[in-house]
Amino acid sequence: MYQYIVKRVLLMVPTLLGAAVFVFFLLRFIPGDICELRMVGEGGYVDESALATCRAGIGIDKSIFLQFVDFMWGFVIFDLGTSMWTGQPIGYEIGLRFELSLQVAIMATVASVLIAIPLGTLSAVKQDTWIDYVVRGFSIAGIAMPSFWLGILIILFLLIGTQAFLGEAWMPPIVYVPIWEDPGYNLSMLIWPALATGYRYSAVATRMTRSALLEVLREDYVRTARAKGLLEKIIINRHALKNSLLPVVTVVGIEFAFLMGGLVVTEQVFNLNGLGKLFVESVLNTDYTLTQALVMVVVAVFVLVNFLVDLLYAWLDPRIRYS
Amino acid sequence: MAKLLELEDLRTQFFTTAGTVKAVDGVSYDIEAGETVGIVGESGCGKSVSALSILRLVPDPPGKIVGGKILFMGRNLLELSDVEIRKVRGHEIAMVFQEPMTSLNPVLTIGRQITETLEQHMGIDRQEADARAVELLGMVGISDAERRLKQYPHHFSGGMRQRVMIAMALSCEPKLIIADEPTTALDVTIQAQILELMKDLTRRLGVALIIITHNLGVVARYADKVNVMYAGKIVEKGSARQIYHNPSHPYTIGLLASVPRLDHKRGTKLVPIEGQPPDLTLLDQGCAFRPRCRFAEDICTREIPPLEEVGGGQYSACWQKDKLSQPAPAAS
Ligand SMILES: Nc1ncnc2c1ncn2[C@@H]1O[C@H](COP(=O)(O)OP(=O)(O)O)[C@@H](O)[C@H]1O
Ligand code: SF4
Ligand SMILES: [Mg+2]
């Protein structure tokens, strides 16, 4: 097992490297560059020499090969340089947003797992009763509803609700403060996007739990457990659930990784300064260094989550042994 | 001897889109304490469903026990509450299933799967249960029990898993074990070992055994009494000796001709029964074996033959049962 972990960690290096090469060259295919964008954006006549100065200033006049070497070197010395657009260190730019996105992703994941497993289980155990229908309705609605739309609804209801009951409309705050500095303030801001995305996410996980559990409940070993006279509660919790969690864990893992950087529209709706928003801005600005770094962060999250999911597999199912 | 279990006119049906499957259609038999009873018949004739019905384990929906009585030590199991029947399961009546590969939970250790039954029914704590589990594995011939208990089913071979299933079945000292094709999925050499083990343990512990199989040879060797099932009904019953040496139903005769026998001279040809068992949704008012029967006559089409004594406690459900002792007419 220990060997396996070391092997997996080492194997992450080529994956990350591949992603780095890919994103680096792909970005260079986008027509135009940051200097043109900046100057044309300011309007008026653009002087060729001014452009050249600008390009030299941020280093995109160098040959592609040299730029690539710089990029790679950045990984070695753990310094990805500065954003081409803002001039701020990339570590700083990403760090600001990473915290927020991570917190939303974790809150959405925790909430959805806490909702999905009991609901999915209930729905499977009570298959084809009204309880099952209600749960299925809940999850189909969650899958059908885009989270940004739910987000808009939430904001509207907050406004209207507070106006009606408190006499004054209240909006969630929009300036991020870390949770350890002011938990109340932080949560009053981030709980809403976590809810909006977590609902959809828990809907997917609920359906997955339900169908996996229904399948497991037909297995021979569940019949054996019944024939042994065990309590239904024990049959579900001890015998069936653990066997049905593998697909649920997979879905949760993928969704979590997606939340870290894929929340573009929802972040817009809640006016959150998260990774998704930064991503869009950096691409629109052809801010090569920042986009590259962001892609690498998201790839790293995916790779890590995959690894954790595989470890969870082995823990859930003793037949899975990695070596 | 007092009857341990009596099935009276048991009827279990499945309500499917293709129609009502009369999987068990008026089955009656009984078993005395400590006795071994065999139930034989081709696949699909309702053996498993009749066994599952006893512990009310038939999946519902689509299955339902629609009639009859199952008297276990005088109590009708069909009238027990869910809590009461749960206390019978695994405690007074235990089951061993056919598929040793899938009947044990892959994510729980063997030890846990044995001790949980003990904790459920015997009111003992984990430690006592562990000690008892070690003892049980020893009884079924698994050595190095303490280490084996910590292992998972995939560490065990098919035969070993079936030993574990037997240990589990014996754990709460039941009065009856129902073994549904316990060796069908195993290699031939292992089959004999497992059957010997079951026979030996049940005899020693005085546990009654219902052994379900499609192999008449197995039954003849290990059972005291035999029930032959066809299309959801018992078509012949008697002592193992009677059934084996003096079959009085064309289906039993056919089954016997299709298995190798030690008391026939070597080289005797094995003759499988031609045709297929009937579709249990389409049974009519005649004898279900009719399309495959060489003895069939007009009456067989019109009326279902009742199960009647042919003598000496042997019963047969066949209109021609008295004419069967003559050599069978040559197959076409
Ligand atoms: N869950 C089920 N749904 C519908 N039909 C079933 C089900 N289980 C068993 N049956 C039907 O009941 C009949 C008897 O099956 P079974 O008792 O398993 O036969 P066997 O004698 O091989 O053990 C078969 O025709 C089978 O198709
Ligand atoms: S009743 Fe008729 S058809 Fe049925 S087994 Fe006897 S002879 Fe054959
Ligand atoms: Mg069967």
Side-chain angles (χ1 to χ4, degrees):
Chain A
M1 196 68 199
Y2 175 71
Q3 262 184 340
Y4 170 77
I5 294 177
V6 171
K7 203 171 93 189
R8 276 296 295 266
V9 171
L10 288 180
L11 270 176
M12 286 177 196
V13 175
T15 310
L16 291 171
L17 199 68
V21 171
F22 190 69
V23 66
F24 179 87
F25 288 102
L26 206 61
L27 271 179
R28 266 63 182 181
F29 279 121
I30 303 176
D33 64 37
I34 189 163
C35 288
E36 283 174 15
L37 203 71
R38 185 174 273 163
M39 299 190 169
V40 175
E42 286 162 7
Y45 170 74
V46 181
D47 181 41
E48 271 302 322
S49 67
L51 264 182
T53 324
C54 165
R55 286 181 179 143
I58 52 179
I60 50 174
D61 60 331
K62 291 195 237 170
S63 76
I64 285 220
F65 177 72
L66 277 181
Q67 290 183 43
F68 184 68
V69 170
D70 277 349
F71 178 44
M72 286 296 131
W73 185 243
F75 288 115
V76 178
I77 58 172
F78 289 105
D79 179 5
L80 291 174
T82 54
S83 157
M84 290 178 173
W85 189 262
T86 63
Q88 297 274 16
I90 281 176
Y92 168 79
E93 290 282 1
I94 292 183
L96 267 184
R97 280 84 169 188
F98 187 82
E99 229 171 77
L100 183 148
S101 284
L102 185 67
Q103 194 191 336
V104 173
I106 289 177
M107 274 166 41
T109 306
V110 169
S112 77
V113 168
L114 287 184
I115 293 171
I117 291 180
L119 269 193
T121 306
L122 192 68
S123 173
V125 171
K126 304 275 177 203
Q127 191 192 6
D128 293 330
T129 64
W130 66 268
I131 299 178
D132 184 29
Y133 294 135
V134 169
V135 173
R136 277 155 74 182
F138 164 85
S139 55
I140 287 174
I143 290 166
M145 218 187 294
S147 15
F148 70 84
W149 186 72
L150 181 61
I152 294 173
L153 279 190
I154 290 178
I155 290 182
L156 280 179
F157 274 105
L158 281 177
L159 283 173
I160 298 169
T162 47
Q163 177 78 54
F165 289 103
L166 305 175
E168 191 183 348
W170 177 83
M171 274 274 281
I174 52 171
V175 181
Y176 173 70
V177 171
I179 188 162
W180 52 86
E181 280 175 22
D182 186 348
Y185 177 91
N186 168 287
L187 288 179
S188 74
M189 170 180 179
L190 294 188
I191 201 125
W192 314 110
L195 266 179
T197 53
Y199 177 34
R200 185 201 142 70
Y201 187 176
S202 74
V204 175
T206 302
R207 275 180 79 84
M208 197 54 114
T209 307
R210 178 181 181 273
S211 63
L213 194 60
L214 278 178
E215 209 155 289
V216 167
L217 285 175
R218 280 193 289 270
E219 295 282 346
D220 288 336
Y221 53 79
V222 171
R223 187 182 60 189
T224 307
R226 293 230 159 82
K228 294 199 292 191
L230 300 181
L231 294 171
E232 199 61 23
K233 194 174 65 188
I234 293 181
I235 295 174
I236 301 293
N237 293 341
R238 188 185 293 158
H239 284 263
L241 254 186
K242 206 174 164 200
N243 276 291
S244 59
L245 282 185
L246 287 190
V248 181
V249 165
T250 313
V251 168
V252 168
I254 292 172
E255 292 266 350
F256 177 84
F258 171 78
L259 288 184
M260 293 295 296
L263 277 192
V264 179
V265 191
T266 310
E267 281 179 9
Q268 213 78 43
V269 168
F270 287 97
N271 224 327
L272 295 180
N273 211 353
L275 286 180
K277 192 159 167 238
L278 188 63
F279 226 127
V280 175
E281 283 168 3
S282 76
V283 172
L284 291 179
N285 294 338
T286 44
D287 187 344
Y288 294 158
T289 45
L290 185 54
T291 311
Q292 282 163 190
L294 277 168
V295 170
M296 293 316 291
V297 166
V298 174
V299 171
V301 169
F302 261 94
V303 170
L304 257 174
V305 166
N306 256 328
F307 176 50
L308 289 180
V309 164
D310 281 349
L311 289 185
L312 258 177
Y313 274 9
W315 177 72
L316 283 170
D317 188 341
R319 281 170 300 183
I320 301 174
R321 273 289 157 263
Y322 303 116
S323 50
Chain B
M1 233 189 285
K3 298 274 184 271
L4 180 68
L5 178 79
E6 294 176 77
L7 266 57
E8 280 178 26
D9 198 30
L10 178 70
R11 289 169 196 275
T12 306
Q13 303 181 346
F14 291 96
F15 299 93
T16 67
T17 45
T20 302
V21 183
K22 294 184 175 173
V24 178
D25 196 26
V27 162
S28 306
Y29 64 86
D30 49 55
I31 176 166
E32 287 165 18
E35 199 178 35
T36 299
V37 167
I39 297 181
V40 205
E42 283 164 300
S43 150
C45 70
K47 305 182 298 292
S48 297
V49 174
S50 68
L52 290 171
S53 299
I54 296 174
L55 283 177
R56 295 191 1 213
L57 290 169
V58 176
D60 172 14
K64 233 184 183 70
I65 300 173
V66 295
K69 278 187 195 159
I70 298 171
L71 297 171
F72 179 69
M73 301 200 301
R75 284 189 301 171
N76 186 355
L77 298 184
L78 298 181
E79 284 168 0
L80 298 188
S81 70
D82 286 353
V83 176
E84 288 168 328
I85 188 75
R86 222 190 51 236
K87 287 181 181 153
V88 176
R89 293 177 185 158
H91 187 195
E92 292 177 274
I93 303 179
M95 281 195 81
V96 174
F97 292 101
Q98 173 177 357
E99 305 80 9
M101 292 308 182
T102 54
S103 293
L104 289 167
N105 193 326
V107 307
L108 295 177
T109 61
I110 294 300
R112 191 72 194 109
Q113 295 186 59
I114 296 177
T115 54
E116 65 178 358
T117 322
L118 291 163
E119 285 171 31
Q120 180 78 54
H121 296 300
M122 310 299 268
I124 59 178
D125 65 25
R126 195 70 178 260
Q127 265 177 338
E128 289 173 277
D130 280 341
R132 171 91 173 122
V134 170
E135 186 189 325
L136 283 162
L137 282 201
M139 273 168 67
V140 296
I142 297 180
S143 53
D144 199 6
E146 276 169 55
R147 187 176 61 87
R148 296 298 254 166
L149 284 173
K150 295 197 192 79
Q151 294 184 328
Y152 292 90
H154 67 277
H155 295 121
F156 289 68
S157 66
M160 281 297 172
R161 290 189 206 192
Q162 212 55 311
R163 284 174 194 263
V164 171
M165 286 292 286
I166 294 168
M168 255 161 53
L170 287 171
S171 62
C172 298
E173 299 173 342
K175 306 214 168 40
L176 171 65
I177 291 180
I178 304 172
D180 187 1
E181 311 227 19
T183 60
T184 304
L186 303 178
D187 293 344
V188 182
T189 45
I190 314 282
Q191 284 186 9
Q193 290 175 14
I194 297 292
L195 287 166
E196 287 293 340
L197 177 75
M198 290 210 334
K199 184 71 192 162
D200 177 51
L201 284 172
T202 49
R203 185 173 290 158
R204 244 176 41 210
L205 302 170
V207 182
L209 179 64
I210 295 179
I211 184 158
I212 294 174
T213 170
H214 59 260
N215 185 339
L216 201 48
V218 165
V219 160
R221 188 176 170 124
Y222 295 100
D224 304 316
K225 290 193 303 202
V226 176
N227 298 300
V228 181
M229 271 187 87
Y230 190 78
K233 288 181 159 57
I234 291 183
V235 292
E236 177 164 10
K237 65 168 144 189
S239 69
R241 229 191 134 65
Q242 287 166 334
I243 300 287
Y244 202 61
H245 293 290
N246 184 29
S248 58
H249 191 285
Y251 179 59
T252 320
I253 294 172
L255 276 184
L256 277 170
S258 66
V259 294
R261 297 177 60 148
L262 289 176
D263 56 350
H264 282 187
K265 66 173 188 287
R266 288 181 61 185
T268 307
K269 252 177 77 187
L270 301 182
V271 200
I273 307 177
E274 278 176 35
Q276 296 297 318
D279 182 337
L280 297 184
T281 54
L282 300 174
L283 296 177
D284 57 17
Q285 79 291 1
C287 173
F289 189 56
R290 186 175 78 237
R292 309 167 76 185
C293 183
R294 287 176 298 167
F295 303 90
E297 295 200 4
D298 270 0
I299 183 165
C300 308
T301 328
R302 276 181 276 119
E303 273 178 79
I304 296 179
L307 189 62
E308 286 172 340
E309 184 156 8
V310 287
Q314 184 179 4
Y315 291 75
S316 166
C318 173
W319 291 119
Q320 318 295 337
K321 56 181 173 293
D322 301 323
K323 303 177 195 157
L324 298 177
S325 39
Q326 299 132 29
S332 60

